[in-house]
Amino acid sequence: MTRPAPYWYSLRALSGLAVMAGSFALAFGCDGGGSGGAGADAGDAGGADGVGGSGGSSGAGSSGAGGRPAIPAASFESCSALAMTFAGNGCGSVCASMRCACDPFPSSYIACNPELGCLTGMDCSVACERSLGEVIGCVDGYAPCSSDADCGAGRCLRAADGSGDCASGAAGARCLDDGDCVDGACVAVSTDGRRICQAGAPGASCNESADCASGSRCVLPDDSFVGSCSDGTTGAACSVASDCDGNRCIRTAQSSQPGVCSDGAAGASCMAASDCASNVCVRDPESVSAGVCSDGALGAPCLTSSECDSNICARNSQSGLPGVCSDGELGSVCYAGSDCASTRCGKAKADSSAGTCTDGSVGSACSEPAQCAEGLSCAVASFGGRCTTGATGEPCASSTECASGSCALATNQAFCTEGLLGQHCSEAAQCQSGYCKGNSTGGYMGQCTDGAVGTACDIGDDSDCAGGRCAKADPWGSWICSGGAVGDLCSKASHCSASVCSLSSATDDAGNCGDGSTGSACALDAHCSSSRCAIRGGYDQGTCTTGELNAYCTEDGNCISARCAMSSGSSTGLCTDGGLGSRCSDDADCVSTLCALEPGNSYGECTDGQLGSECALPNNCLQGTCAYSSGDGHGECTDGAIGAFCVQPLHCQLGYCFIGGDSSGICSSGAAGQPCDAGNDCASGSCATGVCQ
């Protein structure tokens, strides 16, 4: 069952002369815990049971060694010292005030224990010495005891001369001595004498090695009596190398805190070479911070070349930070030519600290000629420098650096050009053809083209095309030069010669040139000579149609007859007049409102439902029944009279349907002399040589 939340209220008032001043504290909480007396922590202590109040102290403190303080005597303040009484019946109603005449301010409490009920009394001499939080904490967790037997599986935490409080005895619970702990030891964790139970596992608080589990010892800081249990494994606390399985304790000399055990592997922290299995500790000797163990492999940290197997340490000597071991091959990071096997460290900008090892060939990064191979210059633009000979297609920063006398300069790249087809350009004037595709957006590098029909062009840039027509080619953003003839692509009215561009609106940019004839492109009825533009659903481009019988259509409005027969699942059809025998796809396509359409077929036939009329389903017949042959793909409304159309005997009044080996036949009398296939075609039940007997 969920415990109800306790509540409390305390008021302390002061009156004097003609002026009265009041102060109050109000707090709410669920299962709030009390606290012991104040005291400075002396190490990581873990959790503690909520206990408070005044009591005694147990044990004597031990003296410290050197700068380490002595372990204080164990003490705690018990809640039982408050001698609280409760009304019972839980916290179902507002409690009455309980008043203590404290000096200098009286104090009133309204508080409730979730199980014991409203607070009705307590020892005010003790309460007046406590803070509000301490008293309230005791109300909520009040569990007085005189022996362990009063606390179930827990322990009774008490001084020798008084009552105590129940505590769990588990790791983190308050204690006075080891006997108060279910498992482990009672460890001092604060200068005010506060102690808690600890199980002694690696990392647990301790005052001495006896507080730790077997195989572990207590590693203490130089200035605190609270240490940490250590099993000597990598990452465990240590003070000296012998504390560690690997005999390596990494500890900052200036620190009073314990260090950590290390295995000395590459990447592990270190203070000296002996801390590393490789005997190499990459560390600034002027720094108090730890360094890192290095195995000297490529990519390993380093401060000097001697720390690398390759004897090359690529490092910015101005930063004070470690570098990385490098092989100096092309593409490796570098800070100076000595970092590279080629002796060339290419930096695209002079103020760059890091560069890349290069061979100084054409296209290599550079910020000065010395970073380029013999005979090459360094073309330095705003975006960086590149080695070049000035030949066509090579980097440049200005036209004077190009043998052709022309440099196509974009935002982040530049190349020498002669303006031939396929060569770089940043403006049309650089192309001998006068057309540069790819430069319409400022700062981008383009390519010289001939501007012919079908050639790619920049979005909407008519100047890329010889005919002045750059039209959208597809929904994905491709644009090409158009010829402007009927059927050609267009994106504006001016793109079409003696024809109309089939654009659906002022914002539409994808159409085709059309002359309004049957079959030409359209987007509006006005684009067609017939004033009929058939557009499929979901599209904005269509086809001009005449609307006559059997003409292309996408809706009834496309047809003069106002009837467009579209097959099931299709978005197009053919115009129909709805007369008997006309093509249809549903009843609405027929004047008779009867369409004989077998499910699964694309089209059916308009029928009047009379005897002898075409049918596919029973509801197609107003007279007789529908005899339909799937083998023939044909059916007729029949009354089953002799000579009438049939497919099965049930279609015939007399029950005889002679089909002669076909999929359909005629109704028969079954009399002697009538044709037959089998005995069931004959009234006598006997069929011989194809004749009823």
Side-chain angles (χ1 to χ4, degrees):
M1 179 178 71
T2 303
R3 296 178 65 192
Y7 61 83
W8 45 77
Y9 171 87
S10 176
L11 176 66
R12 291 183 178 179
L14 170 66
S15 62
L17 301 177
V19 180
M20 178 176 288
S23 65
F24 69 92
L26 180 65
F28 293 89
C30 294
D31 296 335
S35 60
D41 285 342
D44 294 333
D49 284 357
V51 293
S54 63
S57 63
S58 174
S62 60
S63 61
R68 186 177 301 138
I71 299 175
S75 66
F76 90 111
E77 293 181 325
S78 70
C79 290
S80 60
L82 289 166
M84 292 180 172
T85 58
F86 298 89
N89 301 323
C91 301
S93 60
V94 177
C95 298
S97 173
M98 190 258 140
R99 188 173 185 274
C100 285
C102 300
D103 182 24
F105 306 114
S107 182
S108 294
Y109 303 90
I110 300 176
C112 186
N113 180 288
E115 296 177 355
L116 302 177
C118 293
L119 176 68
T120 58
M122 62 181 163
D123 187 336
C124 287
S125 65
V126 176
C128 289
E129 297 299 320
R130 305 280 183 93
S131 69
L132 171 64
E134 291 172 339
V135 175
I136 296 306
C138 284
V139 171
D140 182 36
Y142 193 60
C145 60
S146 58
S147 68
D148 290 346
D150 297 331
C151 300
R155 297 290 188 268
C156 183
L157 186 62
R158 58 188 289 271
D161 58 350
S163 62
D165 299 332
C166 286
S168 68
R174 287 292 301 273
C175 60
L176 290 172
D177 55 40
D178 291 348
D180 293 331
C181 301
V182 175
D183 184 26
C186 183
V187 177
V189 294
S190 178
T191 56
D192 65 356
R194 184 166 60 96
R195 301 191 178 200
I196 62 171
C197 295
Q198 292 283 23
S205 297
C206 58
N207 303 134
E208 57 184 356
S209 293
D211 296 335
C212 301
S214 176
S216 295
R217 66 182 300 272
C218 184
V219 176
L220 291 164
D222 297 338
D223 57 359
S224 174
F225 54 78
V226 182
S228 178
C229 291
S230 171
D231 59 2
T233 58
T234 299
C238 60
S239 291
V240 294
S242 59
D243 291 338
C244 303
D245 294 344
N247 206 38
R248 291 186 178 94
C249 179
I250 314 304
R251 185 182 183 191
T252 304
Q254 292 82 357
S255 174
S256 62
Q257 297 301 308
V260 293
C261 293
S262 170
D263 59 4
S269 296
C270 59
M271 294 299 295
S274 58
D275 293 335
C276 303
S278 63
N279 207 38
V280 176
C281 177
V282 179
R283 176 176 175 268
D284 182 355
E286 303 299 322
S287 172
V288 297
S289 300
V292 61
C293 293
S294 172
D295 59 5
L298 295 181
C302 60
L303 288 175
T304 64
S305 58
S306 62
E307 294 171 341
C308 300
D309 295 342
S310 63
N311 206 37
I312 297 176
C313 178
R315 174 176 177 260
N316 182 1
S317 59
Q318 304 301 314
S319 71
L321 298 175
V324 293
C325 293
S326 169
D327 58 7
E329 294 299 316
L330 299 182
S332 299
V333 65
C334 60
Y335 295 88
S338 58
D339 295 336
C340 303
S342 66
T343 71
R344 290 189 177 90
C345 180
K347 301 179 181 181
K349 294 189 176 183
D351 59 356
S352 297
S353 59
T356 303
C357 291
T358 76
D359 57 5
S361 60
V362 172
S364 298
C366 64
S367 54
E368 58 183 45
Q371 295 170 1
C372 298
E374 185 177 354
L376 275 65
S377 61
C378 181
V380 181
S382 60
F383 47 80
R386 289 290 185 270
C387 297
T388 183
T389 66
T392 297
E394 293 187 6
C396 56
S398 66
S399 294
T400 58
E401 294 171 328
C402 298
S404 64
S406 179
C407 177
L409 183 63
T411 300
N412 57 2
Q413 56 183 330
F415 300 97
C416 294
T417 182
E418 296 173 308
L420 300 178
L421 296 181
Q423 291 185 358
H424 297 97
C425 58
S426 56
E427 55 185 73
Q430 293 171 339
C431 299
Q432 296 182 18
S433 64
Y435 306 110
C436 179
K437 188 268 176 189
N439 69 324
S440 63
T441 302
Y444 284 86
M445 185 65 70
Q447 186 179 58
C448 293
T449 73
D450 59 7
V453 173
T455 301
C457 56
D458 291 325
I459 298 174
D461 192 352
D462 290 342
S463 65
D464 286 346
C465 302
R469 303 179 184 92
C470 181
K472 191 173 185 177
D474 56 49
W476 301 278
S478 297
W479 292 66
I480 62 172
C481 294
S482 172
V486 172
D488 286 347
L489 296 171
C490 60
S491 291
K492 58 181 70 170
S494 61
H495 286 172
C496 299
S497 302
S499 58
V500 176
C501 184
S502 60
L503 300 177
S504 60
S505 66
T507 58
D508 190 6
D509 59 4
N512 293 85
C513 295
D515 59 5
S517 62
T518 300
S520 66
C522 61
L524 304 170
D525 287 341
H527 294 159
C528 303
S529 300
S530 63
S531 296
R532 289 183 170 86
C533 180
I535 304 174
R536 290 185 295 164
Y539 291 81
D540 57 10
Q541 295 289 309
T543 303
C544 291
T545 182
T546 63
E548 297 174 350
L549 187 64
N550 294 321
Y552 176 83
C553 61
T554 58
E555 59 181 37
D556 290 343
N558 297 151
C559 303
I560 297 173
S561 64
R563 289 186 172 90
C564 177
M566 291 189 291
S567 61
S568 177
S570 175
S571 59
T572 64
L574 298 174
C575 293
T576 180
D577 61 7
L580 296 180
S582 296
R583 181 194 302 261
C584 61
S585 58
D586 57 47
D587 290 342
D589 292 334
C590 302
V591 174
S592 64
T593 67
L594 290 174
C595 177
L597 172 64
E598 181 185 12
N601 286 352
S602 298
Y603 293 101
E605 182 179 311
C606 290
T607 179
D608 60 4
Q610 303 301 306
L611 294 178
S613 296
E614 187 73 20
C615 68
L617 299 171
N619 60 3
N620 295 153
C621 297
L622 299 179
Q623 293 183 345
T625 60
C626 180
Y628 183 80
S629 169
S630 57
D632 293 343
H634 166 71
E636 289 185 19
C637 295
T638 179
D639 60 2
I642 294 175
F645 182 83
C646 65
V647 177
Q648 301 177 33
L650 61 83
H651 294 147
C652 301
Q653 295 179 13
L654 298 179
Y656 304 113
C657 178
F658 173 66
I659 61 175
D662 293 328
S663 297
S664 61
I666 59 173
C667 291
S668 168
S669 66
Q674 293 296 312
C676 61
D677 288 320
N680 58 4
D681 289 337
C682 304
S684 64
S686 176
C687 175
T689 64
V691 178
C692 291
Q693 302 301 306

